[in-house]
Amino acid sequence: MSETSPAPTPRRARVRAPELTGKGGWLNTGDKQYTLADLRGRIVVLDFWTFCCINCLHVLDELRELEERHRDTVVIIGVHSPKFVHEAEHQAVVDAVERYGVEHPVLDDPELATWKQYAVRAWPTLVVIDPEGYVVAQHAGEGHAHAIGRLVEELEAEHAAKGTLRRGDGPYVPPEPEPTALRFPGKALLLPSGNFLVSDTTRHQLVELAQDAETVVRRIGSGTRGFTDGPAAEASFSEPQGLALLDDGSVVVADTVNHALRRLDPATGEVTTLAGTGRQWWQGSPTSGPAREIDLSSPWDVAVFGGRVWIAMAGVHQLWAYDPERRTVAVAAGTTNEGLVDGPAAEAWFAQPSGLAATADRLWLADSETSALRWVDPEGHVHTAVGTGLFDFGHRDGAAEQALFQHPLGVTALPDGSVAVSDTYNHALRRYDPATGEVTTLATDLREPSDAVLVGDDIVVVESARHRLTRLRLPEGAVRVESVAHRTQRAATEVAPGRLRLDVIFQAPAGQKLDTRYGPSTRLLVSSTPPELLLKGEGADTDLSRELDLNPAVAEGVLHVSAMAASCDDDEANEYPACHVHQQDWGVPVRLTEGGADRLPLVLAGMDQDA
């Protein structure tokens, strides 16, 4: 059954932690290989992540403070568990660890061996192991850092008293810095001067390059992660990405990890904040209002369309828009549900939109997690040009309905009405022509291209993992490539047709209770692909348990489950208790089999007592 309060005594279930194994080996350890026995006496937090996943990147940021505060007792270990084929490449993991400033050991597990041993079902998942080597908690999704912090304090006290806590330096060994002009650049913009402005993402700066796309003219930003307005040398960013030019000559910057839009005056180098508070948007937060008062969530790209600055809000799978005249922001399209659903803006589903490009009558977008190219018309309807959903990807040219991309991050409008797609995980530049409905390949042998800008007859590509801009002549013809198709390799859960009990496990952190002051504090949304899989149980409700009825005529499919729970400090004397939102989306592949399971437990926070 679903848990909605702290577990009865014994307070913490303890399960022996399986060994950590990964074919790719260890990163950030100075080439030393570790076992759990080497970490005995320390509190270990396993972070199961994959670098394509925006929620995983949010958790990396959530864990930074915990990592610093408990550096002598806690060892955080990232277990990299790939979704896309490219993410199973060892060098890609090495790049991602540097790109996102991961300052703890990482186990590269390309075959999901440790993922399977720990029965993980979702990215991200956090597992806490006590100093004696037992699993004491599991958390899926975002918003759990405070709960893990409290648990760590309890474990520190408990194991210090028992004599089983070992303090000291952790196993993290930082890599040597590389002396490149750019480091994992994200997006680029052609300035009226003919120079390029580039978001130098990993170095938390903007860099202006001369017309040769190589010579550094100036840097904007201190280079230290922060959220400070001011002159070029004093302002600070946190992993900036998208850039867009406004009519007044200023530049809008998607300051991704600050959850903000910033403004750069190219003439003076002055940086100010246009939108966002620096806090991440959570379910229940306002979705429109004065721009400086509204929380945003990992804005990844920006483009001017229909007089507004449209925002690829990757963190919540939506498009938002900033109105420069009214200085307001509001949701423009998307429900926050992750997936690929077309239709009216308010009903559409996206999956981590990461690239935007505007023409007179279309806003094009690279919808990265569905490996899709999509567009919005002036009436606000959402359409898909290429792509089928969360699990299909590859490199295949031809008719759009069967063509495949792999996690594209950028899209660029071309003069003939077609668009170039920065097909990031295929290391390619692709082209889609709406007139013919055909997809072709323009260039290969790029390294994680994340954006491109048109300069006359040339196209300048941001080769993010080669730390440079690369100028290409727009080719007359296409490059021939060997077609390849993939599906996400996750073992399907065998379930019985008919009745299936879905339980989302949530145990409020110690010292907290469910926040019911303003009504129900939990929400569960269920749907399926194909829709025919669910005969009963689809839709939203407040109970974290639900009876589903699976159609025996459908052999396999995916259950999409989204859960949210809000908890607050359990202190009647505190008029303003601290509250936290815990949320996660699961896509669970299922195969209907006679004799399969009749219960599907998904752990949001805690331990499944019925396992």
Side-chain angles (χ1 to χ4, degrees):
M1 63 184 276
S2 172
E3 298 284 349
T4 55
S5 60
T9 53
R11 219 156 44 86
R12 282 194 296 271
R14 291 179 7 131
V15 177
R16 176 63 71 180
E19 190 52 80
L20 305 177
T21 57
K23 192 173 181 181
W26 290 82
L27 306 176
N28 281 357
T29 62
D31 294 328
K32 182 174 178 180
Q33 307 299 299
Y34 279 88
T35 66
L36 278 177
D38 298 324
L39 302 170
R40 195 61 50 81
R42 310 299 288 273
I43 300 162
V44 177
V45 179
L46 303 181
D47 175 16
F48 289 88
W49 70 300
T50 189
F51 64 77
C52 72
C53 159
I54 191 66
N55 311 93
C56 299
L57 303 186
H58 289 167
V59 167
L60 284 176
D61 293 317
E62 287 178 8
L63 291 175
R64 293 185 201 280
E65 185 180 348
L66 176 77
E67 200 165 22
E68 184 59 38
R69 192 182 327 129
H70 299 277
R71 193 168 288 280
D72 67 333
T73 58
V74 172
V75 175
I76 294 175
I77 293 174
V79 182
H80 189 269
S81 313
K83 171 185 174 182
F84 290 98
V85 168
H86 171 58
E87 293 175 306
E89 297 174 16
H90 181 70
Q91 185 57 48
V93 181
V94 172
D95 288 345
V97 167
E98 182 188 350
R99 181 195 300 267
Y100 297 116
V102 179
E103 295 185 354
H104 50 247
V106 172
L107 175 65
D108 181 12
D109 183 18
E111 297 175 347
L112 302 180
T114 297
W115 165 287
K116 293 169 185 171
Q117 285 294 311
Y118 281 82
V120 175
R121 293 183 181 272
W123 296 278
T125 291
L126 297 167
V127 175
V128 181
I129 301 172
D130 73 13
E132 294 178 289
Y134 290 91
V135 174
V136 293
Q138 181 172 325
H139 302 262
E142 303 178 47
H144 301 294
H146 72 288
I148 292 175
R150 289 188 180 212
L151 177 56
V152 163
E153 290 170 358
E154 290 180 11
L155 291 171
E156 285 175 339
E158 176 183 332
H159 288 274
K162 290 173 67 175
T164 50
L165 183 69
R166 179 166 56 91
R167 296 180 180 271
D169 293 335
Y172 170 64
V173 178
E176 288 293 321
E178 298 286 343
T180 53
L182 302 172
R183 205 70 194 158
F184 298 105
K187 306 286 184 181
L189 176 69
L190 184 66
L191 295 170
S193 65
N195 288 354
F196 297 90
L197 187 67
V198 185
S199 54
D200 196 15
T201 305
T202 297
R203 293 209 177 112
H204 314 297
Q205 290 180 317
L206 308 180
V207 177
E208 184 177 345
L209 299 178
Q211 295 181 25
D212 63 5
E214 295 180 11
T215 305
V216 175
V217 175
R218 61 173 170 166
R219 294 181 180 273
I220 296 127
S222 65
T224 300
R225 187 191 297 271
F227 189 15
T228 307
D229 288 342
E234 299 172 15
S236 57
F237 301 93
S238 188
E239 298 182 29
Q241 288 280 351
L243 306 164
L245 194 65
L246 294 180
D247 291 340
D248 65 2
S250 65
V251 175
V252 179
V253 182
D255 193 5
T256 304
V257 178
N258 278 329
H259 311 295
L261 296 189
R262 315 292 292 281
R263 176 186 183 273
L264 167 68
D265 183 339
T268 65
E270 189 80 15
V271 175
T272 53
T273 299
L274 292 177
T277 63
R279 296 184 300 271
Q280 184 183 337
W281 185 93
W282 290 98
Q283 290 285 355
S285 301
T287 55
S288 64
R292 293 291 304 273
E293 299 175 15
I294 302 298
D295 299 340
L296 308 181
S297 183
S298 297
W300 207 274
D301 204 5
V302 281
V304 178
F305 179 62
R308 295 184 292 169
V309 178
W310 285 63
I311 309 164
M313 203 72 80
V316 285
H317 316 300
Q318 289 180 310
L319 302 180
W320 288 43
Y322 168 72
D323 187 327
E325 293 292 323
R326 295 183 173 86
R327 298 183 181 180
T328 57
V329 288
V331 173
T335 64
T336 75
N337 296 320
E338 184 179 14
L340 193 153
V341 176
D342 290 339
E347 300 171 14
W349 290 24
F350 301 99
Q352 215 167 298
S354 301
L356 298 175
T359 64
D361 60 352
R362 291 189 182 188
L363 178 71
W364 293 97
L365 68 113
D367 204 29
S368 61
E369 281 293 287
T370 52
S371 298
L373 173 66
R374 306 176 72 185
W375 54 280
V376 183
D377 65 29
E379 287 72 45
H381 280 72
V382 178
H383 311 260
T384 296
V386 181
T388 59
L390 287 165
F391 301 100
D392 293 293
F393 58 93
H395 191 154
R396 186 162 64 198
D397 288 335
E401 57 267 20
Q402 57 87 53
L404 294 171
F405 299 126
Q406 186 181 179
H407 197 80
L409 291 178
V411 59
T412 307
L414 301 179
D416 63 358
S418 66
V419 290
V421 178
S422 295
D423 193 5
T424 309
Y425 288 3
N426 280 326
H427 310 299
L429 191 67
R430 313 283 293 283
R431 176 177 178 265
Y432 167 70
D433 186 351
T436 64
E438 292 286 311
V439 175
T440 53
T441 297
L442 297 176
T444 57
D445 193 31
L446 301 167
R447 187 68 186 170
E448 292 193 17
S450 54
D451 195 20
V453 292
L454 202 62
V455 186
D457 293 331
D458 295 342
I459 192 162
V460 176
V461 181
V462 179
E463 276 199 273
S464 188
R466 282 200 178 113
H467 319 292
R468 71 188 188 193
L469 302 192
T470 300
R471 187 184 295 266
L472 305 171
R473 180 56 56 101
L474 270 175
E476 295 288 334
V479 177
R480 290 192 63 83
V481 295
E482 193 73 31
S483 293
V484 59
H486 300 287
R487 278 186 69 82
T488 300
Q489 296 302 306
R490 291 173 58 194
T493 298
E494 293 195 347
V495 295
R499 177 184 172 280
L500 178 69
R501 176 78 174 182
L502 171 65
D503 287 332
V504 173
I505 314 301
F506 178 71
Q507 297 166 345
Q512 293 202 334
K513 64 179 180 180
L514 288 174
D515 178 18
T516 56
R517 292 170 299 163
Y518 308 109
S521 61
T522 55
R523 178 176 179 266
L524 179 63
L525 176 68
V526 180
S527 63
S528 67
T529 303
E532 300 78 34
L533 174 63
L534 273 178
L535 296 175
K536 175 187 169 187
E538 185 180 10
D541 203 346
T542 58
D543 194 344
L544 291 181
S545 292
R546 189 175 302 180
E547 296 285 345
L548 309 182
D549 189 2
L550 303 185
N551 187 348
V554 179
E556 60 182 27
V558 178
L559 291 174
H560 304 284
V561 180
S562 178
M564 184 273 288
S567 62
C568 293
D569 290 343
D570 188 7
D571 183 357
E572 299 294 339
N574 186 354
E575 188 177 354
Y576 302 104
C579 297
H580 304 273
V581 177
H582 318 254
Q583 63 183 49
Q584 172 62 7
D585 296 332
W586 291 268
V588 184
V590 294
R591 182 179 300 113
L592 273 61
T593 308
E594 290 296 337
D598 61 3
R599 176 177 180 261
L600 177 62
L602 300 175
V603 177
L604 178 59
M607 300 283 282
D608 180 13
Q609 305 296 340
D610 295 342

